[in-house]
Amino acid sequence: MQGQAGAGGPRFWRFARSRVGVGTIGIACLASGCSSDRPEVSLPTARPPAAEVERPVTEPADSIATPRPTAMVSGDIRFARRGGPAVDIGETVVYLRRRGTAQGTRSSSTVRVTSETEEFAPPLTVARPRQGIVLANEGPLVHRIFTSELEDVAFELAPGARSDRFSVGGRGPVRFYCSLHSDETFVIYVEDAPHVAVLNDSLEFEFDGVEPGRYTLAIWSERVSGPIREVSVDGFTRLREPIWLFADLIDP
């Protein structure tokens, strides 16, 4: 029995050793099988340093043009007198002059002042300081035009002729005369305000696109002139600014 047991003992241990060996081979095969069937994984591309990242180009906030609000200022000339016709004050300049800031810039255009009658009597014309002016004679007579604003300068104007281009500075009325006809005279009104109107037959005026700010409303004519009142423009409210004149003081 011992001999069988002894004989069986070696077989048991051989079997045990055989199982250990098979297990080792199985693990090796399993490991090799997993290694051969494992999929390849693509790694993401490395990101560039923050300093090298290009930021999207955006326009600065102040480069976007936003329209400024503007308003309309209108009105008319009225006469404070009971009964009777309105007073004839002739051609009148009405203007809005901004307070405390620079006025309109110099204009590069040329103002043409044309007379078509025997007298050199063109209508009242507005020009800006240092703006080019040309006189044109479309009438049948010869005229020699001069002004005290231009020393030693006279413009000889035959029918169909034009003067050389000239300009005057300052502000206000510039009066011209004819040395050949003593009764001939006319005015060019020089004003750098941004809003100017010349009233003839109609006594109505209207200024559109007036920017916010404080302005002085003023008039000029041969018979009456001066500031009327201060006008405050907010850029949204349409203003009606009548100009009241005391007719009894103009034409007593």
Side-chain angles (χ1 to χ4, degrees):
M1 296 293 291
Q2 290 179 354
Q4 293 176 353
R11 287 196 296 271
F12 174 79
W13 288 113
R14 282 199 300 273
F15 178 73
R17 284 197 299 271
S18 175
R19 290 182 62 186
V20 172
V22 172
T24 302
I25 294 172
I27 293 173
C29 293
L30 181 61
S32 63
C34 292
S35 175
S36 61
D37 295 337
R38 183 176 59 190
E40 295 183 359
V41 179
S42 299
L43 297 177
T45 305
R47 294 182 179 181
E52 300 179 6
V53 176
E54 294 185 0
R55 299 182 179 273
V57 178
T58 58
E59 294 292 334
D62 57 358
S63 68
I64 301 176
T66 56
R68 297 190 61 182
T70 59
M72 177 181 291
V73 179
S74 63
D76 59 350
I77 296 177
R78 305 176 185 181
F79 297 92
R81 182 171 66 178
R82 295 181 179 178
V87 177
D88 183 10
I89 60 175
E91 295 175 309
T92 305
V93 177
V94 179
Y95 58 92
L96 274 176
R97 182 172 180 82
R98 191 156 191 170
R99 296 172 58 89
T101 60
Q103 303 302 304
T105 58
R106 178 181 173 182
S107 176
S108 60
S109 62
T110 299
V111 174
R112 178 170 171 169
V113 181
T114 303
S115 177
E116 299 178 347
T117 61
E118 290 186 357
E119 289 185 292
F120 198 92
L124 176 63
T125 306
V126 173
R128 295 193 177 278
R130 302 301 175 187
Q131 184 177 10
I133 302 172
V134 171
L135 305 179
N137 180 18
E138 300 296 338
L141 302 181
V142 176
H143 302 276
R144 186 178 295 118
I145 307 300
F146 69 95
T147 176
S148 61
E149 296 292 326
L150 302 174
E151 296 182 2
D152 302 325
V153 175
F155 303 105
E156 186 90 21
L157 298 176
R162 300 180 184 178
S163 71
D164 294 333
R165 190 172 183 268
F166 66 95
S167 64
V168 291
R171 296 175 50 238
V174 178
R175 189 170 297 279
F176 291 78
Y177 304 89
C178 178
S179 62
L180 300 180
H181 310 95
S182 59
D183 59 339
E184 291 181 4
T185 182
F186 65 96
V187 171
I188 296 177
Y189 196 84
V190 181
E191 177 57 54
D192 60 354
H195 303 283
V196 186
V198 177
L199 310 187
N200 295 306
D201 297 333
S202 173
L203 297 180
E204 296 272 347
F205 63 89
E206 184 178 283
F207 301 125
D208 201 3
V210 182
E211 295 186 352
R214 296 169 59 198
Y215 296 81
T216 298
L217 178 65
I219 68 169
W220 178 91
S221 77
E222 295 280 11
R223 303 191 65 184
V224 60
S225 64
I228 302 300
R229 72 176 68 88
E230 183 176 306
V231 177
S232 181
V233 179
D234 60 11
F236 300 97
T237 307
R238 177 170 179 168
L239 301 179
R240 183 74 179 176
E241 299 290 339
I243 298 174
W244 285 95
L245 302 178
F246 290 97
D248 293 337
L249 299 178
I250 300 171
D251 190 13

